[in-house]
PDB file of all heavy atoms in Angstrom:
ATOM      1  N   LEU N 294       0.834  -1.208   0.000  1.00 98.00           N
ATOM      2  CA  LEU N 294       0.000   0.000   0.000  1.00 98.00           C
ATOM      3  C   LEU N 294       0.872   1.262   0.000  1.00 98.00           C
ATOM      4  O   LEU N 294       0.617   2.209  -0.760  1.00 98.00           O
ATOM      5  CB  LEU N 294      -0.926  -0.030   1.225  1.00 98.00           C
ATOM      6  CG  LEU N 294      -2.059   0.992   1.292  1.00 98.00           C
ATOM      7  CD1 LEU N 294      -3.172   0.453   2.182  1.00 98.00           C
ATOM      8  CD2 LEU N 294      -1.598   2.336   1.827  1.00 98.00           C
ATOM      9  N   ARG N 295       1.898   1.276   0.835  1.00 98.00           N
ATOM     10  CA  ARG N 295       2.778   2.450   0.912  1.00 98.00           C
ATOM     11  C   ARG N 295       3.513   2.678  -0.410  1.00 98.00           C
ATOM     12  O   ARG N 295       3.677   3.816  -0.860  1.00 98.00           O
ATOM     13  CB  ARG N 295       3.779   2.278   2.052  1.00 98.00           C
ATOM     14  CG  ARG N 295       3.136   2.204   3.429  1.00 98.00           C
ATOM     15  CD  ARG N 295       4.184   2.133   4.538  1.00 98.00           C
ATOM     16  NE  ARG N 295       3.569   1.999   5.847  1.00 98.00           N
ATOM     17  CZ  ARG N 295       3.456   0.849   6.512  1.00 98.00           C
ATOM     18  NH1 ARG N 295       3.920  -0.274   5.961  1.00 98.00           N
ATOM     19  NH2 ARG N 295       2.881   0.797   7.692  1.00 98.00           N
ATOM     20  N   ILE N 296       3.963   1.587  -1.022  1.00 98.00           N
ATOM     21  CA  ILE N 296       4.676   1.703  -2.296  1.00 98.00           C
ATOM     22  C   ILE N 296       3.730   2.193  -3.387  1.00 98.00           C
ATOM     23  O   ILE N 296       4.092   3.065  -4.197  1.00 98.00           O
ATOM     24  CB  ILE N 296       5.292   0.340  -2.686  1.00 98.00           C
ATOM     25  CG1 ILE N 296       6.377  -0.052  -1.677  1.00 98.00           C
ATOM     26  CG2 ILE N 296       5.883   0.395  -4.095  1.00 98.00           C
ATOM     27  CD1 ILE N 296       6.785  -1.514  -1.751  1.00 98.00           C
ATOM     28  N   SER N 297       2.523   1.683  -3.398  1.00 98.00           N
ATOM     29  CA  SER N 297       1.535   2.108  -4.393  1.00 98.00           C
ATOM     30  C   SER N 297       1.192   3.586  -4.229  1.00 98.00           C
ATOM     31  O   SER N 297       0.999   4.303  -5.221  1.00 98.00           O
ATOM     32  CB  SER N 297       0.264   1.260  -4.274  1.00 98.00           C
ATOM     33  OG  SER N 297       0.537  -0.095  -4.550  1.00 98.00           O
ATOM     34  N   GLU N 298       1.132   4.035  -2.993  1.00 98.00           N
ATOM     35  CA  GLU N 298       0.871   5.457  -2.756  1.00 98.00           C
ATOM     36  C   GLU N 298       2.016   6.313  -3.287  1.00 98.00           C
ATOM     37  O   GLU N 298       1.794   7.368  -3.902  1.00 98.00           O
ATOM     38  CB  GLU N 298       0.680   5.717  -1.260  1.00 98.00           C
ATOM     39  CG  GLU N 298       0.326   7.163  -0.933  1.00 98.00           C
ATOM     40  CD  GLU N 298       0.013   7.362   0.526  1.00 98.00           C
ATOM     41  OE1 GLU N 298       0.463   6.539   1.364  1.00 98.00           O
ATOM     42  OE2 GLU N 298      -0.691   8.337   0.851  1.00 98.00           O
ATOM     43  N   ALA N 299       3.255   5.860  -3.081  1.00 98.00           N
ATOM     44  CA  ALA N 299       4.406   6.600  -3.604  1.00 98.00           C
ATOM     45  C   ALA N 299       4.388   6.623  -5.130  1.00 98.00           C
ATOM     46  O   ALA N 299       4.747   7.636  -5.753  1.00 98.00           O
ATOM     47  CB  ALA N 299       5.704   5.954  -3.103  1.00 98.00           C
ATOM     48  N   ILE N 300       3.948   5.533  -5.741  1.00 98.00           N
ATOM     49  CA  ILE N 300       3.828   5.494  -7.199  1.00 98.00           C
ATOM     50  C   ILE N 300       2.793   6.504  -7.667  1.00 98.00           C
ATOM     51  O   ILE N 300       3.022   7.265  -8.621  1.00 98.00           O
ATOM     52  CB  ILE N 300       3.453   4.070  -7.668  1.00 98.00           C
ATOM     53  CG1 ILE N 300       4.650   3.128  -7.488  1.00 98.00           C
ATOM     54  CG2 ILE N 300       2.996   4.079  -9.128  1.00 98.00           C
ATOM     55  CD1 ILE N 300       4.321   1.664  -7.728  1.00 98.00           C
ATOM     56  N   ALA N 301       1.651   6.540  -6.997  1.00 98.00           N
ATOM     57  CA  ALA N 301       0.597   7.492  -7.361  1.00 98.00           C
ATOM     58  C   ALA N 301       1.090   8.929  -7.251  1.00 98.00           C
ATOM     59  O   ALA N 301       0.798   9.773  -8.112  1.00 98.00           O
ATOM     60  CB  ALA N 301      -0.626   7.279  -6.477  1.00 98.00           C
ATOM     61  N   GLN N 302       1.845   9.208  -6.210  1.00 98.00           N
ATOM     62  CA  GLN N 302       2.365  10.569  -6.012  1.00 98.00           C
ATOM     63  C   GLN N 302       3.358  10.944  -7.101  1.00 98.00           C
ATOM     64  O   GLN N 302       3.343  12.081  -7.603  1.00 98.00           O
ATOM     65  CB  GLN N 302       3.005  10.671  -4.630  1.00 98.00           C
ATOM     66  CG  GLN N 302       2.008  10.588  -3.485  1.00 98.00           C
ATOM     67  CD  GLN N 302       2.667  10.423  -2.126  1.00 98.00           C
ATOM     68  OE1 GLN N 302       3.867  10.125  -2.037  1.00 98.00           O
ATOM     69  NE2 GLN N 302       1.901  10.602  -1.064  1.00 98.00           N
ATOM     70  N   ASN N 303       4.213  10.024  -7.476  1.00 98.00           N
ATOM     71  CA  ASN N 303       5.193  10.292  -8.539  1.00 98.00           C
ATOM     72  C   ASN N 303       4.512  10.479  -9.885  1.00 98.00           C
ATOM     73  O   ASN N 303       4.881  11.370 -10.659  1.00 98.00           O
ATOM     74  CB  ASN N 303       6.221   9.160  -8.615  1.00 98.00           C
ATOM     75  CG  ASN N 303       7.371   9.347  -7.653  1.00 98.00           C
ATOM     76  OD1 ASN N 303       8.390   9.959  -7.990  1.00 98.00           O
ATOM     77  ND2 ASN N 303       7.219   8.833  -6.451  1.00 98.00           N
ATOM     78  N   LEU N 304       3.514   9.668 -10.174  1.00 98.00           N
ATOM     79  CA  LEU N 304       2.798   9.805 -11.437  1.00 98.00           C
ATOM     80  C   LEU N 304       2.050  11.132 -11.496  1.00 98.00           C
ATOM     81  O   LEU N 304       2.019  11.788 -12.544  1.00 98.00           O
ATOM     82  CB  LEU N 304       1.826   8.639 -11.625  1.00 98.00           C
ATOM     83  CG  LEU N 304       2.455   7.271 -11.851  1.00 98.00           C
ATOM     84  CD1 LEU N 304       1.383   6.189 -11.906  1.00 98.00           C
ATOM     85  CD2 LEU N 304       3.282   7.250 -13.128  1.00 98.00           C
ATOM     86  N   ALA N 305       1.476  11.537 -10.371  1.00 98.00           N
ATOM     87  CA  ALA N 305       0.756  12.816 -10.324  1.00 98.00           C
ATOM     88  C   ALA N 305       1.709  13.982 -10.523  1.00 98.00           C
ATOM     89  O   ALA N 305       1.350  14.992 -11.143  1.00 98.00           O
ATOM     90  CB  ALA N 305       0.019  12.948  -8.997  1.00 98.00           C
ATOM     91  N   PHE N 306       2.934  13.861 -10.018  1.00 98.00           N
ATOM     92  CA  PHE N 306       3.925  14.912 -10.195  1.00 98.00           C
ATOM     93  C   PHE N 306       4.325  15.037 -11.659  1.00 98.00           C
ATOM     94  O   PHE N 306       4.438  16.145 -12.200  1.00 98.00           O
ATOM     95  CB  PHE N 306       5.155  14.619  -9.337  1.00 98.00           C
ATOM     96  CG  PHE N 306       6.248  15.637  -9.469  1.00 98.00           C
ATOM     97  CD1 PHE N 306       6.229  16.790  -8.697  1.00 98.00           C
ATOM     98  CD2 PHE N 306       7.290  15.465 -10.376  1.00 98.00           C
ATOM     99  CE1 PHE N 306       7.234  17.748  -8.813  1.00 98.00           C
ATOM    100  CE2 PHE N 306       8.288  16.413 -10.510  1.00 98.00           C
ATOM    101  CZ  PHE N 306       8.262  17.563  -9.733  1.00 98.00           C
ATOM    102  N   ILE N 307       4.531  13.888 -12.301  1.00 97.00           N
ATOM    103  CA  ILE N 307       4.952  13.888 -13.705  1.00 97.00           C
ATOM    104  C   ILE N 307       3.812  14.303 -14.631  1.00 97.00           C
ATOM    105  O   ILE N 307       4.007  15.053 -15.592  1.00 97.00           O
ATOM    106  CB  ILE N 307       5.456  12.483 -14.092  1.00 97.00           C
ATOM    107  CG1 ILE N 307       6.712  12.130 -13.306  1.00 97.00           C
ATOM    108  CG2 ILE N 307       5.745  12.402 -15.604  1.00 97.00           C
ATOM    109  CD1 ILE N 307       7.107  10.677 -13.411  1.00 97.00           C
ATOM    110  N   ASP N 308       2.624  13.819 -14.317  1.00 97.00           N
ATOM    111  CA  ASP N 308       1.457  13.987 -15.187  1.00 97.00           C
ATOM    112  C   ASP N 308       0.338  14.639 -14.382  1.00 97.00           C
ATOM    113  O   ASP N 308      -0.672  14.010 -14.072  1.00 97.00           O
ATOM    114  CB  ASP N 308       1.039  12.610 -15.714  1.00 97.00           C
ATOM    115  CG  ASP N 308      -0.131  12.665 -16.675  1.00 97.00           C
ATOM    116  OD1 ASP N 308      -0.377  13.736 -17.256  1.00 97.00           O
ATOM    117  OD2 ASP N 308      -0.793  11.621 -16.842  1.00 97.00           O
ATOM    118  N   SER N 309       0.514  15.906 -14.050  1.00 97.00           N
ATOM    119  CA  SER N 309      -0.413  16.599 -13.151  1.00 97.00           C
ATOM    120  C   SER N 309      -1.831  16.682 -13.704  1.00 97.00           C
ATOM    121  O   SER N 309      -2.799  16.753 -12.943  1.00 97.00           O
ATOM    122  CB  SER N 309       0.107  17.997 -12.831  1.00 97.00           C
ATOM    123  OG  SER N 309       0.268  18.753 -14.019  1.00 97.00           O
ATOM    124  N   SER N 310      -1.978  16.653 -15.032  1.00 97.00           N
ATOM    125  CA  SER N 310      -3.316  16.758 -15.622  1.00 97.00           C
ATOM    126  C   SER N 310      -4.178  15.543 -15.275  1.00 97.00           C
ATOM    127  O   SER N 310      -5.409  15.612 -15.317  1.00 97.00           O
ATOM    128  CB  SER N 310      -3.218  16.901 -17.142  1.00 97.00           C
ATOM    129  OG  SER N 310      -2.632  15.756 -17.728  1.00 97.00           O
ATOM    130  N   ASN N 311      -3.541  14.434 -14.915  1.00 97.00           N
ATOM    131  CA  ASN N 311      -4.278  13.224 -14.537  1.00 97.00           C
ATOM    132  C   ASN N 311      -4.137  12.896 -13.053  1.00 97.00           C
ATOM    133  O   ASN N 311      -4.422  11.770 -12.636  1.00 97.00           O
ATOM    134  CB  ASN N 311      -3.793  12.037 -15.368  1.00 97.00           C
ATOM    135  CG  ASN N 311      -4.286  12.082 -16.794  1.00 97.00           C
ATOM    136  OD1 ASN N 311      -5.481  12.251 -17.042  1.00 97.00           O
ATOM    137  ND2 ASN N 311      -3.376  11.958 -17.750  1.00 97.00           N
ATOM    138  N   ALA N 312      -3.719  13.865 -12.258  1.00 98.00           N
ATOM    139  CA  ALA N 312      -3.465  13.625 -10.835  1.00 98.00           C
ATOM    140  C   ALA N 312      -4.696  13.080 -10.120  1.00 98.00           C
ATOM    141  O   ALA N 312      -4.599  12.168  -9.280  1.00 98.00           O
ATOM    142  CB  ALA N 312      -2.987  14.905 -10.166  1.00 98.00           C
ATOM    143  N   SER N 313      -5.862  13.618 -10.423  1.00 98.00           N
ATOM    144  CA  SER N 313      -7.086  13.165  -9.745  1.00 98.00           C
ATOM    145  C   SER N 313      -7.404  11.713 -10.091  1.00 98.00           C
ATOM    146  O   SER N 313      -7.911  10.962  -9.240  1.00 98.00           O
ATOM    147  CB  SER N 313      -8.262  14.065 -10.110  1.00 98.00           C
ATOM    148  OG  SER N 313      -8.516  14.037 -11.499  1.00 98.00           O
ATOM    149  N   LYS N 314      -7.099  11.315 -11.312  1.00 98.00           N
ATOM    150  CA  LYS N 314      -7.358   9.932 -11.722  1.00 98.00           C
ATOM    151  C   LYS N 314      -6.413   8.969 -11.012  1.00 98.00           C
ATOM    152  O   LYS N 314      -6.833   7.888 -10.568  1.00 98.00           O
ATOM    153  CB  LYS N 314      -7.198   9.804 -13.243  1.00 98.00           C
ATOM    154  CG  LYS N 314      -7.565   8.431 -13.778  1.00 98.00           C
ATOM    155  CD  LYS N 314      -9.024   8.091 -13.527  1.00 98.00           C
ATOM    156  CE  LYS N 314      -9.398   6.751 -14.150  1.00 98.00           C
ATOM    157  NZ  LYS N 314     -10.796   6.371 -13.841  1.00 98.00           N
ATOM    158  N   TYR N 315      -5.131   9.368 -10.887  1.00 98.00           N
ATOM    159  CA  TYR N 315      -4.186   8.522 -10.156  1.00 98.00           C
ATOM    160  C   TYR N 315      -4.619   8.369  -8.700  1.00 98.00           C
ATOM    161  O   TYR N 315      -4.539   7.277  -8.127  1.00 98.00           O
ATOM    162  CB  TYR N 315      -2.776   9.100 -10.229  1.00 98.00           C
ATOM    163  CG  TYR N 315      -2.199   9.158 -11.623  1.00 98.00           C
ATOM    164  CD1 TYR N 315      -1.629  10.331 -12.113  1.00 98.00           C
ATOM    165  CD2 TYR N 315      -2.222   8.040 -12.463  1.00 98.00           C
ATOM    166  CE1 TYR N 315      -1.094  10.397 -13.398  1.00 98.00           C
ATOM    167  CE2 TYR N 315      -1.700   8.098 -13.745  1.00 98.00           C
ATOM    168  CZ  TYR N 315      -1.141   9.277 -14.200  1.00 98.00           C
ATOM    169  OH  TYR N 315      -0.629   9.328 -15.477  1.00 98.00           O
ATOM    170  N   ALA N 316      -5.082   9.448  -8.108  1.00 98.00           N
ATOM    171  CA  ALA N 316      -5.549   9.408  -6.719  1.00 98.00           C
ATOM    172  C   ALA N 316      -6.776   8.509  -6.580  1.00 98.00           C
ATOM    173  O   ALA N 316      -6.883   7.718  -5.631  1.00 98.00           O
ATOM    174  CB  ALA N 316      -5.866  10.817  -6.231  1.00 98.00           C
ATOM    175  N   GLU N 317      -7.683   8.613  -7.533  1.00 98.00           N
ATOM    176  CA  GLU N 317      -8.888   7.787  -7.523  1.00 98.00           C
ATOM    177  C   GLU N 317      -8.538   6.306  -7.643  1.00 98.00           C
ATOM    178  O   GLU N 317      -9.067   5.460  -6.910  1.00 98.00           O
ATOM    179  CB  GLU N 317      -9.806   8.211  -8.670  1.00 98.00           C
ATOM    180  CG  GLU N 317     -11.095   7.405  -8.787  1.00 98.00           C
ATOM    181  CD  GLU N 317     -11.915   7.811 -10.002  1.00 98.00           C
ATOM    182  OE1 GLU N 317     -11.711   8.924 -10.526  1.00 98.00           O
ATOM    183  OE2 GLU N 317     -12.757   6.986 -10.439  1.00 98.00           O
TER     184      GLU N 317
END
């Protein structure tokens, strides 16, 4: 879970336009 959260955060940083989708 912690690793997946870090992945979501990194993807949101790189691709901010899809940040809400990564969080969802």
Side-chain angles (χ1 to χ4, degrees):
L294 191 155
R295 296 184 183 100
I296 294 165
S297 297
E298 183 174 23
I300 289 171
Q302 291 169 347
N303 274 270
L304 292 175
F306 179 85
I307 295 168
D308 182 21
S309 59
S310 63
N311 286 309
S313 61
K314 185 62 176 177
Y315 297 130
E317 179 184 340

